[in-house]
Amino acid sequence: MLSAIGLYLFLGSARGAELNGQLMLATTDRPDLIQDVAITLYEATEFAPVALATTRTGSDGLFSLETGRATSDSILFLSATVSDQVRLVSILGETLPHFATINEVTSVAASYAMAQFLRSGQIAGDAFRLRIAAMMGTNIANPVTGEISAVLSAPPNADQTNSLRLTRSLANLLNLCAVSPSYAKALLPLLTDERGQVPADTAIGLANLARNPAVDPELIYLLSSLRQGYVPALSQAPDQWSVTVKLNDTGRADIPFGGAANVDWDSYGYAWVANNVTQGTPNSTKYNVVLRPDGKPADGTGGEPVSPFDSGGLLGVGWGVSVDQKDRVWYGNFGWGSPKDLYYPSQTPGSPSGAGTGSVSTFDAADGSPLSEVGYFGPYRVQAIEPDDWGNIWMASLGDTDVDGGSGVWVFRDGNPDDSVSAVVDWEDAPFGVAPIPGQAAAWVTFSGGLAGEHQSSIAKYALTDTGELKQSFIAPVGDTLKVVATDFAGNAWFASQGTDSVFAYSPDGEQLGEFGGGGIDGPWGVTVDGEGNVWVANFGDLAIGNVFDRGRLSKLCGANPAACPPGLKLGDPISPETGYTLPSEGAPVLLSNGDPLYGPGAPPSFAPMMRQTSVQIDAAGNVWTINNWKPRFDVDILSNPGGDGIVIFVGLATPPPRSH
């Protein structure tokens, strides 16, 4: 069968709008299953997909079809109904390839990448979102060869995580259903959707599993192990069935990730990453990272940005990165490390004492060009930086004992650094998180009490007045070491209290709605709200001598929309399992992008691909990006080597938020 693929590859790309391909199954004992099977080429739309061409396979599974469409503004995909309840799919993307394969692996990739767009039983949705989902799908399977992708097969994935083998196990599960239809009848009732509906076929069922991956892991594993068409597969049941993609390529091997902290997306779907330190040191990096929607580094092709980049006055960006409605990318320069390592000379005009720690940098997302030469001075050690609906840029200025009046809340009105307003607070308050309130020129702000919670934490609300002043309208002491705050559709504030292992929620008028834990929450740091109003939490673990946080996890809580919570759950109840959503190793030590061990040459190995995390964000296709900010071993990291390795993406796991660009 591979020789047939090779022949078509040799002959070159398809002429005009002709597509050749092959339906394949891992099993060799039932050739009849791939013979005379209907193959349909579809174009996805916002509603029902449009059938462009249909044909049937030959005795060897080969097929050829002709269509008037070789490209799409949305995506093209192939569907094959092997039996009543077994449907295999291959996502082709925007352009017909020269050859296409449909098999169990391409179908796993399709169901997971399209999980948020298969809720109706058909692939449908916004074209921009579908294109991003298709790009992410190529990180799981190659639609031309039908093989597991090179991304999933190589470091930092391969056996450094369990997703390669987990994908094979899911493919074996589909093979079992194809060969023995009675197993499909047994499997599908396990894979119900959010309304409790049994899926009509395996493509819909695996999409349901992608959105709710903690369903019956032991039983599903048992079924998957009955067939061994794809090996090596999992050797034991996972705690849940998420397919993840880990990435750690910045675009330059000599500049690996050093404590990525947060990410936001521009209108093109590119991911702009805040990067803290030079890998293996506690000192500031001058380099930040920009990734394509599939996580690959941008390299300047077609005028796109180039990653990594060090212009615009960047220096030790902290948590703060955001993209505004004008596609300007904003970074807050925290300036880690000793003064001798700082980018700015102390005589830089306008810079505060301890030069380099008091600026904001901004870039044009279209090509990555800096809009500031050395940064905009004023706010000191910015953490969160966020635009509101009116284009005002809100910032939390963490402050310092050495800077008089540096700590507070800052706003660049209409995104203009020359038209700023601030509200000064005591430096002990240490503002950290900012979340603009939808439809208002106002924001929730967390006062952390210091990065390690040395002082009392508080939640506050600020508003821009008609006279242009910045006024505090509410404040309440709460929690311990507050970090990120996010708002939901109702204007409620959800914020992480690291020191109490909990998340708090406050109503718009300042009423505490509750304190919530469970679902794997442990030292929470990052918080975001999905398109249904449910709340996602990134966990940093305990800040304590001797702590080794080698079981990184992602947590999910019920939000303020009761219809989006599973039956029987209410506001704040955990949706994720008690372990959280995890990413274990499959036995290979974690390596940096240059091939060094996580803690450097000669260091003991680490087997924790998911580390201490400071951020969780959801892209336009529902892929959940969780950010490895620190390494697992606190005793080492606090002194010399904190910068975590890369980003973990849970494919298709969350409802996409509304588009803001």
Side-chain angles (χ1 to χ4, degrees), residues 79-80 84-89 107-108 110-112 114-123 174 187-195 197-212:
S79 178
D84 287 345
Q85 294 181 308
V86 178
R87 176 163 58 113
L88 302 183
V89 180
S107 202
V108 171
S111 289
Y112 273 74
M114 296 292 157
Q116 297 299 325
F117 310 102
L118 259 167
R119 291 175 181 253
S120 66
Q122 303 181 90
I123 296 175
L174 291 181
L187 173 67
L188 293 179
L190 302 177
L191 306 180
T192 56
D193 65 13
E194 293 80 358
R195 302 181 305 277
Q197 298 295 311
V198 175
D201 57 46
T202 53
I204 303 169
L206 281 197
N208 294 345
L209 184 62
R211 298 192 303 272
N212 185 21

Side-chain angles (χ1 to χ4, degrees), residues 26 62 249 351 396 488 577 590:
L62 289 169
D249 182 6
S351 66
D488 63 19
V590 174

Side-chain angles (χ1 to χ4, degrees), residues 263-520:
V263 62
D264 197 14
W265 290 271
D266 61 30
S267 66
Y268 308 95
Y270 280 61
W272 295 82
V273 182
N275 199 36
N276 290 171
V277 298
T278 300
Q279 178 57 248
T281 81
N283 296 326
S284 294
T285 180
K286 295 182 286 185
Y287 290 95
N288 273 15
V289 178
V290 56
L291 307 172
R292 293 171 179 158
D294 60 359
K296 295 179 178 64
D299 63 8
T301 300
E304 70 180 3
V306 177
S307 181
F309 57 100
D310 64 347
S311 55
L314 292 172
L315 179 66
V317 169
W319 194 84
V321 58
S322 66
V323 184
D324 68 16
Q325 296 90 336
K326 298 178 181 178
D327 255 354
R328 294 176 298 185
V329 186
W330 297 86
Y331 284 103
N333 294 302
F334 193 91
W336 311 86
S338 58
K340 63 182 174 61
D341 297 310
L342 297 180
Y343 180 75
Y344 304 112
S346 59
Q347 65 269 25
T348 299
S351 66
S353 58
T357 56
S359 72
V360 173
S361 299
T362 185
F363 300 84
D364 184 341
D367 58 7
S369 59
L371 302 177
S372 56
E373 292 185 10
V374 294
Y376 302 115
F377 295 105
Y380 190 88
R381 291 194 185 278
V382 169
Q383 288 288 18
I385 179 169
E386 299 287 345
D388 65 19
D389 290 344
W390 316 110
N392 304 302
I393 306 300
W394 293 73
M395 290 159 282
S397 178
L398 189 65
D400 191 277
T401 55
D402 297 327
V403 178
D404 183 20
S407 186
V409 181
W410 283 68
V411 179
F412 291 166
R413 287 182 289 205
D414 196 29
N416 181 2
D418 295 323
D419 183 12
S420 65
V421 61
S422 63
V424 175
V425 300
D426 291 339
W427 70 267
E428 294 94 339
D429 291 335
F432 188 95
V434 170
I437 299 171
Q440 301 182 33
W444 291 99
V445 179
T446 54
F447 293 159
S448 66
L451 285 175
E454 303 93 326
H455 308 281
Q456 175 61 52
S457 296
S458 301
I459 181 71
K461 191 188 325 185
Y462 284 81
L464 283 169
T465 68
D466 292 340
T467 59
E469 297 177 282
L470 188 59
K471 292 291 187 180
Q472 184 186 93
S473 59
F474 171 83
I475 188 168
V478 61
D480 182 353
T481 319
L482 302 187
K483 296 301 184 186
V484 177
V485 57
T487 51
D488 63 19
F489 60 91
N492 300 313
W494 294 82
F495 51 95
S497 177
Q498 187 178 49
T500 57
D501 291 330
S502 60
V503 172
F504 287 87
Y506 272 65
S507 71
D509 60 3
E511 176 190 1
Q512 186 179 128
L513 301 177
E515 177 183 6
F516 311 109

